[in-house]
Amino acid sequence: MAEYVIKLADERGRIQEQVQVAGSAEELRSRFSQAGYYVYSVRPRGMRGVGGSRKRANLEAFIIFNQQFLTLIRAGLPILGSLDMLVKGQKNPTFRAQLENVSARVRTGESLSAAFEAQGGFPLIYTTTLLAGERSGQLEDVLSRYLAFQRISLSFRKKLIASLLYPCLLIVMVLALFIFLISFVVPRFAMLYDQLGTNLPAATRMLLSVGNNFQHYILWVLAGIALIVYGLFRYSQTTAGAARIDRMRIGMPVFGNIWRKYQVALFVRTLSSLLTGGLPPVPSLETAARSISSNTIAQAVMASVGTVREGKSLAQSLEKTGVFPDLAVEMIDVGESTGALPQMLNSVAEFFEEDVQTALTASLALIEPAILIVMGSVVVVILIALYLPIFSLGQASTMGGH
């Protein structure tokens, strides 16, 4: 007998975690399922995955693995044989170790969803989807839907990254050019003007002072920036920090609204996938909420769960949070009224994904020339300040010649 941590929901959707003693994870899962509970996960107490690691699997490698896994299952191979075959061909040592552990657990009678959940590095939606497939006997269908969902999400993410790449490159170039001018060009002019011993304009003196201080204190400045970045990173890992940073991100002009729509699109697409897979509404809502990055939207969804439990519609519950756009709420309401909620959720996701892409492209189209203008202005100001004494000397010598 061993101790297990079981996470479950009762018939009203209330979530709880308990420590129970059982002969195996499957035995414990079966016991609570027969008692009418919805079992999310069962893991040995104190276990945190392979070697205590919770390293996330690479998404692209994970999609390829699942595509191969689905192909083998459809070809009639047993789950355990398919896993063993894919483990042998896996090049990534961490992923390979996780799959070996999954295979070993399945061999001892543990369910596939529980074996993946015990690793700790796989998406929550994946383990929940597997569980739904096992309970309904439609593992192939739910795996196929999960793959379709992930392909769309990955494609959309790549488009966003591609859109942001050029502006980020421009910003890096601006910073690199500024550092080069201040740390290399300005000190050379400072040496020249020291040798000439001329009176310098205020703008030139200020620029030379910045250049000298930059050379003397650059290491301290870099160390300070590194400490600030590290402090912000550590703060963002805390519950309060993550919540505040997310509120600031959503409150940003232009980009805050884009971020909110992106997270709403991700949430509704995840929810659609889970509902289509046969999960009850409350567990689907909670899983979808934990699958998004926005702490503000996730908390709003969690707050709406209680309203859904009371029998109110999903549209009313989400509208009450004040976080979801009106259009999303209206479309969800139509989906509930027509009995086609999963399909309507997909339509909501598609609409907002396209809206995010359009808004981001339009915003970046304005930002890119702005960055170039700033870069040009900085260079012009620095060059004018550096060459102003030379112009003054040239004028003075011309007047002296006359």
Side-chain angles (χ1 to χ4, degrees):
M1 303 291 277
E3 287 189 334
Y4 293 89
V5 177
I6 180 169
K7 186 174 183 179
L8 46 83
D10 60 20
E11 68 279 356
R12 297 195 62 189
R14 286 190 293 262
I15 309 298
Q16 52 185 300
E17 269 193 359
Q18 299 178 10
V19 177
Q20 296 284 339
V21 176
S24 68
E26 271 311 302
E27 177 196 320
L28 187 61
R29 185 184 292 275
S30 176
R31 185 200 310 167
F32 277 89
S33 295
Q34 289 173 6
Y37 290 92
Y38 183 86
V39 181
Y40 281 102
S41 62
V42 180
R43 70 170 189 271
R45 191 177 184 186
M47 175 161 286
R48 294 291 177 191
V50 179
S53 170
R54 280 193 171 269
K55 186 175 179 180
R56 285 189 172 275
N58 176 272
L59 185 56
E60 290 193 50
F62 189 53
I63 289 175
I64 292 169
F65 158 76
N66 277 287
Q67 182 61 66
Q68 294 170 335
F69 186 46
L70 178 60
T71 302
L72 293 174
I73 292 174
R74 280 178 172 166
L77 271 72
I79 288 175
L80 190 55
S82 302
L83 280 172
D84 290 338
M85 190 179 297
L86 293 173
V87 165
K88 292 175 185 175
Q90 184 54 237
K91 300 292 189 293
N92 185 299
T94 304
F95 192 25
R96 183 188 178 101
Q98 289 175 318
L99 291 179
E100 285 174 347
N101 189 268
V102 168
S103 180
R105 288 170 177 275
V106 172
R107 190 172 281 107
T108 59
E110 202 167 318
S111 69
L112 187 64
S113 58
F116 271 105
E117 200 276 336
Q119 306 310 306
F122 295 100
L124 177 63
I125 181 178
Y126 178 68
T127 54
T128 311
T129 297
L130 286 180
L131 177 59
E134 289 166 341
R135 289 170 68 92
S136 63
Q138 297 177 337
L139 186 60
E140 289 181 27
D141 291 342
V142 296
L143 261 180
S144 180
R145 279 193 291 267
Y146 173 78
L147 282 168
F149 161 76
Q150 284 294 3
R151 283 196 203 97
I152 293 170
S153 299
L154 186 61
S155 173
F156 183 60
R157 197 175 306 170
K158 283 182 175 179
K159 285 181 183 177
L160 289 183
I161 291 171
S163 300
L164 293 169
L165 193 59
Y166 182 60
C168 290
L169 184 61
L170 281 179
I171 291 170
V172 170
M173 286 176 61
V174 169
L175 292 174
L177 181 62
F178 179 76
I179 291 171
F180 172 74
L181 290 172
I182 293 297
S183 63
F184 183 78
V185 176
V186 170
R188 298 297 183 278
F189 275 85
M191 292 168 58
L192 173 64
Y193 293 142
D194 281 342
Q195 292 171 1
L196 292 175
T198 58
N199 289 327
L200 301 176
T204 307
R205 288 199 305 272
M206 186 174 68
L207 182 62
L208 296 181
S209 174
V210 170
N212 288 329
N213 288 329
F214 189 84
Q215 280 193 317
H216 291 136
Y217 299 109
I218 179 61
L219 293 179
W220 292 103
V221 170
L222 291 176
I225 292 172
L227 280 173
I228 291 170
V229 170
Y230 178 73
L232 286 173
F233 172 75
R234 295 289 296 179
Y235 181 61
S236 70
Q237 302 301 301
T238 65
T239 304
R244 175 167 289 185
I245 289 171
D246 189 60
R247 283 197 299 271
M248 289 170 61
R249 194 158 41 190
I250 288 179
M252 287 170 59
V254 181
F255 287 102
N257 199 33
I258 292 175
W259 170 253
R260 182 168 68 115
K261 288 179 178 178
Y262 170 61
Q263 289 297 302
V264 168
L266 182 60
F267 164 74
V268 294
R269 192 174 285 285
T270 306
L271 181 60
S272 171
S273 179
L274 293 170
L275 291 173
T276 306
L279 261 70
V282 169
S284 296
L285 275 171
E286 291 172 333
T287 302
R290 287 197 294 271
S291 299
I292 59 177
S293 306
S294 174
N295 186 278
T296 304
I297 295 175
Q299 286 184 347
V301 173
M302 287 298 189
S304 73
V305 168
T307 316
V308 173
R309 280 200 199 106
E310 293 169 2
K312 291 193 177 176
S313 70
L314 176 61
Q316 286 178 314
S317 304
L318 294 179
E319 185 180 23
K320 220 173 156 185
T321 64
V323 171
F324 283 77
D326 293 338
L327 182 60
V329 173
E330 289 171 13
M331 291 176 74
I332 290 170
D333 188 32
V334 171
E336 286 183 297
S337 303
T338 57
L341 181 58
Q343 293 87 338
M344 185 57 78
L345 287 170
N346 270 332
S347 298
V348 174
E350 288 168 6
F351 176 85
F352 280 107
E353 284 166 357
E354 188 174 337
D355 194 24
V356 165
Q357 189 68 40
T358 304
L360 192 61
T361 303
S363 301
L364 294 178
L366 296 174
I367 288 174
E368 288 166 13
I371 294 172
L372 290 173
I373 290 169
V374 169
M375 182 167 64
S377 302
V378 168
V379 172
V380 168
V381 168
I382 291 175
L383 291 178
I384 288 174
L386 288 177
Y387 282 98
L388 203 56
I390 295 176
F391 296 149
S392 301
L393 284 172
Q395 287 179 352
S397 61
T398 303
M399 291 174 65
H402 288 294

